[in-house]
């Protein structure tokens, strides 16, 4: 069931979204050659504590997971697409890092992700990340009253496929509100004009995931959480929490 949020509730979700935005900004600023993923996780945890917020990631255990997620930050490096568990791995020059983070504040959730390079950027990685961001922007632009979920999916998929990238099947965005994952699902590829109509008060997380090698295949790493590309090529992930309103899409996790 899809819960339509009131304008007051959307304002409260914006506050949760801004905690997420601050944490991701801090992670990006701190991520440098030699910094460990565990250090970035602790930094993100500090942002939660300062805001009086909690993590919807820490302890989360969906049906596919062998163990609860042990961190507040998903840190996916190079060929890891999503759900990377922070470890003692220290970032190296040229790494591509995708950071996904959520916050729960006053009963409302926010969720967002960014991808960026550490140190010397490879041109191919820059193009991959820029395309992920363009796909996210296209999805947000389609998130208007009167459109359907398929219009968002089509907008995202069109950008990704036109650039020659793969899209991991079965993973995409989702509704969000009191819980991090709510109805409806938001695929990263689909047919326009199909699916649930978009209405004022719907809040969704839009999150394109791109595989540089052009194939869609992926597999779970031995930790049971991290998803890696089958061909070993790099991946990028971009995400925002977006409210659908009569005045147009409102990005609740915008970074200032």
């Amino acid at each position: 069931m899809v819960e339509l949020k009131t304008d007051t509730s959307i304002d409260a979700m914006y506050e949760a979204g801004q905690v997420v935005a601050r944490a991701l900004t801090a992670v990006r600023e701190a991520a440098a050659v030699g910094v460990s993923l565990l250090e970035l996780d602790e930094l993100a945890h500090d942002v939660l504590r300062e805001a009086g917020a909690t993590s919807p990631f820490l302890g989360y255990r969906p049906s596919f997971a062998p163990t609860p997620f042990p961190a507040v930050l998903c840190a996916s490096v190079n060929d890891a697409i999503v759900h990377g568990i922070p470890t003692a791995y220290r970032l190296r020059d040229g790494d591509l890092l995708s950071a996904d983070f959520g916050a729960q504040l006053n009963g409302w959730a926010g969720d967002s992700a960014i991808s960026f390079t550490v140190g010397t950027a490879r041109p191919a990685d820059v193009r991959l990340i820029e395309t992920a961001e363009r796909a996210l922007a296209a999805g947000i632009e389609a998130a208007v009253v009167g459109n359907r979920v398929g219009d968002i999916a089509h907008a995202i998929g069109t950008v990704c496929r036109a650039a020659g990238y793969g899209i991991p099947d079965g993973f995409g965005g989702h509704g969000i509100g009191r819980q991090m994952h709510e109805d409806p699902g938001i695929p990263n590829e689909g047919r326009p004009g199909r699916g649930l109509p978009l209405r004022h008060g719907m809040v969704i997380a839009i999150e394109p995931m791109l595989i540089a090698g052009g194939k869609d295949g992926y597999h779970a790493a031995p930790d049971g959480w991290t998803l890696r590309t089958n061909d070993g090529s790099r991946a990028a992930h971009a995400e925002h929490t977006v409210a659908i309103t009569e005045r147009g899409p409102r990005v609740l996790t915008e970074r200032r």
Side-chain angles (χ1 to χ4, degrees):
M1 184 179 75
V2 176
E3 177 193 3
L4 298 179
K5 280 71 175 180
T6 65
D7 291 348
T8 300
S9 296
I10 290 172
D11 287 341
M13 290 191 70
Y14 177 81
E15 295 305 316
Q18 289 308 290
V19 177
V20 177
R22 290 197 297 274
L24 288 176
T25 296
V27 166
R28 182 166 191 165
E29 291 176 349
V33 174
V35 174
S36 77
L37 302 181
L38 283 173
E39 289 169 337
L40 295 179
D41 180 68
E42 185 58 30
L43 174 62
H45 210 157
D46 285 344
V47 174
L48 285 177
R49 296 185 187 103
E50 290 168 4
T54 58
S55 171
F57 289 15
L58 183 62
Y60 180 58
R61 189 178 183 182
S63 59
F64 68 80
T67 57
F69 195 76
V72 302
L73 178 74
C74 291
S76 305
V77 180
N78 296 334
D79 66 326
I81 307 168
V82 287
H83 303 162
I85 296 175
T87 66
Y89 175 83
R90 294 191 177 278
L91 292 167
R92 301 171 183 172
D93 188 51
D95 276 347
L96 193 166
L97 175 62
S98 295
D100 189 358
F101 185 78
Q104 198 96 21
L105 182 68
N106 298 323
W108 296 102
D111 189 10
S112 184
I114 56 174
S115 293
F116 55 91
T117 55
V118 177
T120 308
R122 301 181 183 184
D125 289 345
V126 172
R127 177 175 174 268
L128 177 67
I129 293 166
E130 287 178 345
T131 305
E133 292 172 347
R134 284 196 296 110
L136 175 58
I140 293 171
E141 186 177 359
V144 295
V145 174
N147 272 359
R148 292 176 176 265
V149 166
D151 294 305
I152 298 174
H154 178 71
I156 294 169
T158 297
V159 172
C160 297
R161 295 301 189 189
Y165 296 128
I167 301 171
D169 184 46
F171 283 85
H174 49 88
I176 184 170
R178 294 286 184 183
Q179 305 296 323
M180 179 171 60
H181 291 137
E182 298 183 352
D183 292 333
I186 310 294
N188 285 329
E189 193 168 28
R191 298 177 63 181
R194 299 296 182 91
L196 189 71
L198 304 180
R199 298 172 59 190
H200 178 89
M202 290 176 64
V203 183
I204 57 177
I206 301 173
E207 51 178 323
M209 306 165 196
L210 285 64
I211 298 175
K215 304 294 185 181
D216 298 349
Y218 62 89
H219 62 276
D223 63 24
W225 274 99
T226 308
L227 299 184
R228 297 191 178 275
T229 62
N230 282 349
D231 60 8
S233 67
R234 295 189 169 198
H237 177 205
E239 178 184 17
H240 270 309
T241 296
V242 180
I244 296 166
T245 80
E246 295 287 357
R247 298 175 296 281
R250 181 183 179 190
V251 179
L252 306 183
T253 47
E254 62 179 348
R255 293 179 292 278
R256 299 173 181 174

